Every structure is written in C-alpha cells, then in structure tokens.
Amino acid sequence: MENVAIIGASMTQFGQRDGWVRDLLAEAGTACLDDAGVSPDAVDHLYVSNMASGEFEGQTGVVNALVHDLAAMPAYTARIDQTSSSGGAGVKHAWQSVASGASDMTLLVGGEKMTHRTTAEATDVIASLTHPVEYKHGVTLPSFAGLTARLYLDTYDAPRESLGKVAVKNHRHGVDNPHAQFQKEVDLETVLESPIVADPLRLYDFCPITDGSAALMFCPESVAREYTDDYVVIPGIGGATDTHVVHERADPTTMRGVVESSRIAYDMADMGPEDVDVAELHDMFTILEFLQSEDLGFFEKGKGWKAVEEGRTERGGDLPINTSGGLKSKGHPLGASGVAQVYEIYQQLMGDAGKRQVDADTGLACNVGGFGNCVITTLMEAN
Amino acid sequence: MENVAIIGASMTQFGQRDGWVRDLLAEAGTACLDDAGVSPDAVDHLYVSNMASGEFEGQTGVVNALVHDLAAMPAYTARIDQTSSSGGAGVKHAWQSVASGASDMTLLVGGEKMTHRTTAEATDVIASLTHPVEYKHGVTLPSFAGLTARLYLDTYDAPRESLGKVAVKNHRHGVDNPHAQFQKEVDLETVLESPIVADPLRLYDFCPITDGSAALMFCPESVAREYTDDYVVIPGIGGATDTHVVHERADPTTMRGVVESSRIAYDMADMGPEDVDVAELHDMFTILEFLQSEDLGFFEKGKGWKAVEEGRTERGGDLPINTSGGLKSKGHPLGASGVAQVYEIYQQLMGDAGKRQVDADTGLACNVGGFGNCVITTLMEAN
C-alpha cells in the first residue's frame, strides 16, 4: 500500500473570534488549498472535525456549508465527531479515505466556535459527553482532572510544582506561535497562586475556551510528488478507547487509550517511542501531559514529571513537547485541536516552524477525547 | 485490494420507543454481534451514525457510551454525521476502515431518538442543516419537497396521483416488515385526501418521526470466510454533494449528489443501473423516490412516475424499490435509516427477507442527506 502524504496545512488565529464556525472552517479550508496549491475541484473528499456546532450555535450540516463555501461540490463530505479528539479522528478518517483508494485528495478541516457561550455553558456542553451517572453528580472534565492529579502526585511522590512547570513551559513555547491564543509567558508563582478550580489544579492548569480552525491536505504519495518535492508522510496511526465510566478504571493514572493507540501506530510504522523527535500532546489539563508522556513510552511510569523538571521537554531538550504552546497556551477549539497538533508537527518536519523550530525527522501527535475515552496517536515523517 | 464483506446485520423495532438513543444503539449493536457470531473483543473499529443526540437529548459522546455498553474497548470509535444520510456515510467509513487495512472487524451502528420531542421541535433541529439564508425564510425540508414536487409534476406532465401511489406501494411493502413503524396498507384516496403539508404534498407523502437503530458488521472477505459461507460484498460505493443553497441548483428536479455518487459506485463495481435487481431509495418524501429512480439511471428522466404507475417498482415488478416499506412506512430515525437500507438489501441478498423476499443477486441503497446535500450510493452482491 502507498504511503499517505500531507502536502498542505493551515490554521487560523486561535482565540476569541467573530463569525460562526462555518466562517472559521472556510478561512482555514481556503488557506489550506492555497498552501497545498490544490484547486477545489481536485478535492474529492472533504471532512469536518467538529464536536458540537448544533449545541453551540444551532447550526448543523456544517459540512454542507463548507463544501459549498469552498466550491468543492461534488466532493463527498462528512462530519467526524469524537468529542475533544474529533480532530485526531478526522486525521484517521482522512488517512483511511486515501489508504483505501477511495480518495486521491482529501481535505480535512477541524473547527469549533465556543467563546460566544459562557464558560459554564461551554463546560456543560462538553460535560454532556460523560456517562449520565457521573454527569448527574456534577463530575465535569475539570473535576476528573483534579481527582487524577491528586492521585498522581500521591502515587508517584511528585511535587505540585511540577504540574505548574508544564504550564510555564507551554506558555513559554506559545510566545513564538503567532496563531496562539496566549502569546505571553507566565511564571511559576502566578500559576501556583492562581484561583483553585479543582483541587489541586488551579486556573493556569487548564486550557482556555477557544474559537479556531485548522486544516490539512492528504493524498497518496504518488500524487504528492506531482505537487511538491517536500511533504510529510504518515507511517502509522492508531485509535483506541477506554471505559466511558471513568471510575471503573483499574488505574486512573494510566490512559489505556493512549497505550493502545500508540501501540497500533508504532506497530504500523515499525517504530518505537525512541524514534520520536518532537511531540504534540493533549494538555487540556497539565496533568494530562504527564500521563501521555508516560503512556506513549517516552518516560517511565511515574517519571513524566521528572522529565519536565529536568527541562527535557523544553524546546532545547532531548524530546520537545508542545512546541506550539499546546492546548494550554495555543487554545483548544475542540474539533480543531487534533488537526492543529498535526499542523505543528508538519511545520516542524518541513522546517517551517520559525522561532519554534527544533531538529526533528519524526514527530507524534496525541489527541485525547473526553477524559481519555478515545485517543488518536499519529506518527509523521519528513519524506 | 480485497472485497469488503458484510457478515451480520440487525435492526430494532422502529417507531415510538422508550429509553434513549444509547439504549437503542446497544440493542442493535448486541443483536448484530449475535447475528454475525462475532465477540465484542474481535471488533477493532466501532462507528455510530447519528445526526443529533446532543440536540435531541443533551447527550454527546454516544460512541463512548456504546463502546462501553458493548464491552468493545479498546476498539477505536467515532461518530459519523452527514445529517439524514449519516447511516449511508457510516457504511462508507466502515468500508474505508476495512479497505484501508486499518480494521479486520468494523461494527457500524446507526440510531436516532426523536419522538420525545414535538414534531415542530424535531423539524426545527433537522432544518438547522439548511443554509442560514433559507432557514431564516422558514424553508424547512418539507417545503423544499413541496416546491420540487410542483416543479416535477409541471415539467414532466405527471399526475398528482402518481406521487400518492409511491405511498400506497411502500405502505403495502411495509405490511410484511415486522420492524416497520407502520405495518398497514393505505389506499390512494386516503393519501390524496390527507391534510396538506406543503402543497401539493400531503401528510401521507411524508415519512414519520421515528426512534430506532440498525447495525452492520464489516470485515475483509478473507476474514468473512472464517465466520460463514454466506455473506454479502460491497463491490462499489460512492458519496457526492450538491449545493448547500438549494435555490442555486440549475435544475432542482435532478439531484447531482445521486448522479455523481452512483457514477462512482457503478465505476468502482464495473456495473450499471441495469445490473441492479432490488433497491432501497430515500423516500423521506414521495417525490424523492421519483428523482432518485431517475438519477440512478433506472428510468429515463421524467419517467420515474410512469414506472410506479405501471407497477414496475412493486415487489412483483422488474425492479422492486423499497421492499422494506421505505422510510415512508418503516420510519426514518435519521442516523439509522441508511444503515437500515443496507440491512434490507442484505436480507434480500441472503434470502432472509421472509414475505418480502424478491429474486435478487445485486442490490443498491441510496441514502440522501438534507435536501440532496450529500448522497451515498452503495452496491451490494451476494457472494
């Protein structure tokens, strides 16, 4: 089977945006067509990663809107929803449409419009993905994060400060990302003294509510060569799930979806964690960066926090994590986030990451849906 | 590339049901595992076709619920939404996951829970898929159908009665479908004298609001042979779109999505409309059965109504259409409908359709999203 290539990418400014999700999708989609040098009528499959345009905006059928706005009819289109990992799921479906031979050119656009709703409203829409039993008891995703952080710190004898250092690092990285919602450093004291949200986690342990969109262009490697000499391929991709009811997990400090999805991706690519030079992880909450960095095999279980303390995941470290600023500083427009992770790795592997550039031939993106309910791990290599 | 096979299928009772969509999905999913003789841990990909669980029920993440309820973790999962053609889109994504080599066993479950909302509320949720300009003017899908029916009758000199005969035929077929919402005949007079909804269409020209779920099990043909001697293969499948703004279409009596999606499916299968022995079409409104039967190439443009008048699409005719009773009498639980169409063709090709059985080696299902915004055409053959 031929490799699946990525030949173009785009992302909009993340943050508080005017317009509706259809406007953001059209902006990113148009920019991606331009970046790839592909005309709309060459696109035969168009996917939209989006969790909840109906709930947030009262607008469904956003794929119909986008195919129309890009003048890409009669391209096939569908919306891919896997809650907060909808973007990563979209990457998998785009890979499948090309790898199956159904598509010679698939455009994936992820996006979400959220900031017109209050934080309470947005949190409630997101919490509707949890199990009804847990939802009824008010256990939103931030409260799961607080419980898990407490368990992690106790189990692995990690200092509270180590969580804060994830936020400090990712904000520092975000300073050099012109698309990030926050382009400013924060110091450890600010993080540790910010208001408590879900003890022990505080305001700066959480990603913000964000509007934004990102897009990627996929095709078979043979088609990619018709467009460009430089592109990125996907040697492995995997998706996996964990229990819907979080309290049923034997060890909530291990995310089975991360373990299994990365195993599938590594096996497909005949690679291991030691081959990864740069990674984008789903730091919706600071604690999640520890869990993923361990469950992906980068660091020993219970030692992810030490890697952060030692600066190994900084831009200058041996395994830079979240060079984009991560969800923490770049922002987290649900359906866009997994697409924007792959956008960042694409920029790094193409050597187009500007001030954020690190030395990397192989990258990994890990997108987490719900509280680890569904996870997509994508491996990428420069051609 | 290997053929993609279907080795099991199920559908729940369609109609007014208790419980929530997650209950209906679990019911159909469990029945499909049983029908295929596949254990949950053999399923590696699980898709849910569903348009609007968030809008109808305030519950998102239904895929997380289903993978948990079926004990299919760590299977990858995602929700596929293409509004009213979400079921057909799910079939395409299931085909792609197997054809790409990513999956050896994909379970697709489509479902929607709607009857707990009023008809006005449900119609408004569905109308939110239309273009904002048309939505603001109150142009719901039934009103598009009325406008199109008027144009068709005028353009092709067809009698109003011919539309009524679609309803009469599909109700007659539905009598023998134990899963159908309505299992009773209606006579032409009843149809023609029912209340006007969108002139010239009347109440009996429309499908009902329905709860229900249906499921299918997909695998490579080599894996199918490990489970069974008798199965169905998908030699061709295609999806295509038309303008989001309906009033921009040059000829609203032609559905470009049907023309293009069937062209892709026929080409992939090296078949033509003359090879089809039985078909399930998307008769959400009676007029749509005429349009599809022409745009799929079964009958000449403007002559679909004559085929119905002549009884050619009856169960005993030369091309039986909607042997299941169609959306008209079986019901239309949005995300389930495209899956249930393929369920019916599967039953026919396996010789398991009971009183509805016709003589068929090759079948076709055509699932229409929105007002022809996106269409999926699936070809199927007995092995």
Side-chain angles (χ1 to χ4, degrees):
Chain A
M1 195 181 66
E2 249 193 286
N3 271 323
V4 175
I6 301 177
I7 61 166
S10 70
M11 67 179 284
T12 69
Q13 182 65 49
F14 277 18
Q16 191 168 344
R17 297 289 310 269
D18 292 332
W20 298 103
V21 74
R22 62 176 295 166
D23 302 310
L24 297 172
L25 295 172
E27 181 185 335
T30 302
C32 189
L33 287 162
D34 287 348
D35 186 63
V38 169
S39 74
D41 55 13
V43 174
D44 52 48
H45 282 56
L46 173 66
Y47 297 134
V48 171
S49 293
N50 169 267
M51 173 176 170
S53 69
E55 293 87 335
F56 285 130
E57 301 176 37
Q59 170 83 56
T60 62
V62 287
V63 290
N64 304 329
L66 185 63
V67 75
H68 192 119
D69 290 344
L70 298 181
M73 292 85 66
Y76 168 73
T77 187
R79 177 170 70 119
I80 310 299
D81 162 37
Q82 186 23 261
T83 68
S84 18
S85 58
S86 297
V91 173
K92 179 163 162 61
H93 287 265
W95 182 89
Q96 288 176 183
S97 65
V98 173
S100 67
S103 171
D104 276 338
M105 195 62 72
T106 294
L107 174 59
L108 166 67
V109 189
E112 210 85 38
K113 179 73 180 78
M114 306 168 72
T115 66
H116 59 292
R117 304 293 291 267
T118 65
T119 300
E121 286 171 346
T123 302
D124 188 56
V125 168
I126 298 167
S128 71
L129 69 83
T130 58
H131 192 280
V133 168
E134 293 175 327
Y135 178 80
K136 278 183 197 158
H137 287 82
V139 193
T140 59
L141 297 194
S143 55
F144 279 126
L147 294 164
T148 305
R150 170 65 62 207
L151 182 65
Y152 182 93
L153 297 181
D154 286 353
T155 306
Y156 301 113
D157 207 20
R160 168 65 186 90
E161 290 69 23
S162 62
L163 286 166
K165 288 176 183 172
V166 174
V168 171
K169 166 180 74 76
N170 291 349
H171 268 275
R172 193 180 306 134
H173 288 170
V175 167
D176 292 322
N177 187 343
H179 297 109
Q181 183 163 4
F182 303 127
Q183 299 169 37
K184 63 172 184 184
E185 295 202 40
V186 295
D187 58 28
L188 188 59
E189 194 179 1
T190 303
V191 175
L192 296 178
E193 290 179 3
S194 61
I196 285 186
V197 173
D199 188 51
L201 299 181
R202 291 166 181 263
L203 184 63
Y204 275 92
D205 289 292
F206 295 85
C207 69
I209 303 283
T210 311
D211 308 326
S213 181
L216 299 164
M217 190 73 77
F218 299 80
C219 61
E221 191 166 10
S222 58
V223 175
R225 290 200 195 100
E226 297 171 17
Y227 282 89
T228 178
D229 294 329
D230 301 310
Y231 51 87
V232 162
V233 296
I234 299 178
I237 184 166
T241 46
D242 204 338
T243 61
H244 191 204
V245 186
V246 175
H247 72 249
E248 284 185 6
R249 296 181 192 166
D251 174 9
T253 70
T254 292
M255 302 190 98
R256 188 182 180 195
V258 177
V259 173
E260 296 291 338
S261 66
S262 62
R263 186 188 54 74
I264 294 168
Y266 290 139
D267 285 354
M268 188 187 293
D270 197 16
M271 285 184 183
E274 67 283 359
D275 296 310
V276 176
D277 302 318
V278 61
E280 288 284 304
L281 307 190
H282 193 96
D283 59 332
M284 184 177 181
F285 318 115
T286 50
I287 180 65
L288 290 187
E289 190 170 310
F290 288 170
L291 303 192
Q292 286 160 78
S293 71
E294 298 168 8
D295 294 334
L296 289 163
F298 295 157
F299 309 116
E300 202 179 321
K301 193 73 216 166
K303 298 288 171 59
W305 67 270
K306 279 196 177 162
V308 173
E309 295 264 358
E310 293 163 4
R312 297 179 59 189
T313 60
E314 299 270 349
R315 202 155 76 199
D318 61 302
L319 178 54
I321 288 179
N322 287 327
T323 54
S324 70
L327 279 50
K328 179 70 199 77
S329 113
K330 188 173 56 185
H332 181 23
L334 307 169
S337 291
V339 181
Q341 289 180 320
V342 172
Y343 168 89
E344 176 69 11
I345 300 294
Y346 177 82
Q347 299 300 112
Q348 290 288 356
L349 299 181
M350 295 286 284
D352 290 337
K355 290 185 185 174
R356 306 189 309 285
Q357 188 67 50
V358 298
D359 183 23
D361 297 317
T362 301
L364 177 150
C366 184
N367 193 200
V368 175
F371 202 75
N373 298 118
C374 181
V375 180
I376 315 291
T377 300
T378 306
L379 285 164
M380 299 164 67
E381 275 184 310
N383 75 309
Chain B
M1 194 181 65
E2 250 193 285
N3 271 322
V4 175
I6 301 177
I7 62 166
S10 70
M11 67 180 284
T12 69
Q13 182 64 48
F14 277 17
Q16 193 167 343
R17 297 288 310 268
D18 293 332
W20 298 104
V21 74
R22 61 175 295 166
D23 302 308
L24 298 172
L25 296 171
E27 181 185 335
T30 302
C32 189
L33 286 164
D34 287 348
D35 187 61
V38 169
S39 74
D41 55 14
V43 173
D44 52 47
H45 283 56
L46 172 66
Y47 296 134
V48 170
S49 293
N50 170 267
M51 172 177 170
S53 69
E55 294 86 335
F56 284 130
E57 301 175 37
Q59 170 84 56
T60 61
V62 288
V63 290
N64 304 329
L66 185 63
V67 76
H68 191 118
D69 291 343
L70 298 181
M73 292 84 67
Y76 169 73
T77 187
R79 177 169 71 118
I80 310 299
D81 162 38
Q82 186 24 262
T83 69
S84 19
S85 58
S86 297
V91 173
K92 179 164 162 60
H93 286 265
W95 182 89
Q96 287 176 184
S97 64
V98 173
S100 67
S103 171
D104 276 337
M105 193 63 71
T106 294
L107 174 59
L108 166 67
V109 188
E112 210 85 37
K113 179 73 180 76
M114 306 169 72
T115 65
H116 59 291
R117 304 293 291 266
T118 65
T119 300
E121 287 171 346
T123 302
D124 189 55
V125 168
I126 298 168
S128 70
L129 68 83
T130 58
H131 192 281
V133 168
E134 293 175 329
Y135 177 81
K136 277 184 198 159
H137 286 80
V139 192
T140 59
L141 297 194
S143 56
F144 279 125
L147 294 164
T148 305
R150 169 67 61 210
L151 182 65
Y152 182 94
L153 297 180
D154 286 354
T155 306
Y156 302 112
D157 208 20
R160 168 64 185 93
E161 289 71 20
S162 62
L163 286 166
K165 288 175 182 173
V166 173
V168 171
K169 167 180 74 74
N170 290 350
H171 269 276
R172 193 182 305 132
H173 287 170
V175 167
D176 293 322
N177 187 345
H179 297 110
Q181 183 164 5
F182 302 127
Q183 297 169 40
K184 63 172 185 182
E185 294 203 39
V186 296
D187 58 27
L188 188 59
E189 195 179 0
T190 302
V191 176
L192 296 177
E193 291 180 1
S194 61
I196 284 185
V197 174
D199 188 51
L201 299 182
R202 291 166 182 263
L203 184 63
Y204 276 92
D205 288 292
F206 294 85
C207 69
I209 303 281
T210 311
D211 308 324
S213 181
L216 300 163
M217 189 74 75
F218 300 80
C219 62
E221 191 167 10
S222 58
V223 175
R225 291 200 193 100
E226 298 171 17
Y227 282 89
T228 178
D229 294 329
D230 301 310
Y231 51 87
V232 161
V233 297
I234 299 178
I237 184 165
T241 47
D242 204 339
T243 61
H244 192 204
V245 186
V246 176
H247 72 250
E248 284 185 5
R249 297 180 192 168
D251 174 10
T253 70
T254 291
M255 302 189 98
R256 188 181 179 197
V258 176
V259 173
E260 296 292 337
S261 67
S262 62
R263 185 188 54 73
I264 295 167
Y266 291 140
D267 285 354
M268 188 187 294
D270 196 16
M271 286 184 181
E274 66 283 359
D275 296 309
V276 176
D277 302 317
V278 61
E280 288 284 304
L281 306 189
H282 193 97
D283 58 332
M284 184 176 181
F285 318 115
T286 50
I287 179 66
L288 290 187
E289 190 170 309
F290 289 170
L291 303 192
Q292 288 161 75
S293 71
E294 298 166 7
D295 294 334
L296 289 164
F298 295 156
F299 310 115
E300 203 179 319
K301 194 72 217 165
K303 298 289 170 60
W305 67 271
K306 279 197 176 159
V308 173
E309 295 264 358
E310 292 163 5
R312 296 179 59 189
T313 59
E314 299 268 351
R315 202 154 75 199
D318 62 302
L319 179 54
I321 288 178
N322 286 327
T323 55
S324 70
L327 279 50
K328 178 71 198 80
S329 115
K330 187 173 56 185
H332 182 22
L334 307 170
S337 290
V339 181
Q341 289 181 319
V342 171
Y343 168 89
E344 176 69 10
I345 300 295
Y346 178 81
Q347 299 300 113
Q348 291 287 355
L349 298 181
M350 295 286 283
D352 291 336
K355 289 184 183 173
R356 306 190 309 283
Q357 188 66 53
V358 299
D359 183 24
D361 297 316
T362 301
L364 177 151
C366 185
N367 193 199
V368 175
F371 202 75
N373 298 117
C374 180
V375 181
I376 315 289
T377 300
T378 306
L379 285 164
M380 298 163 67
E381 275 185 309
N383 76 309

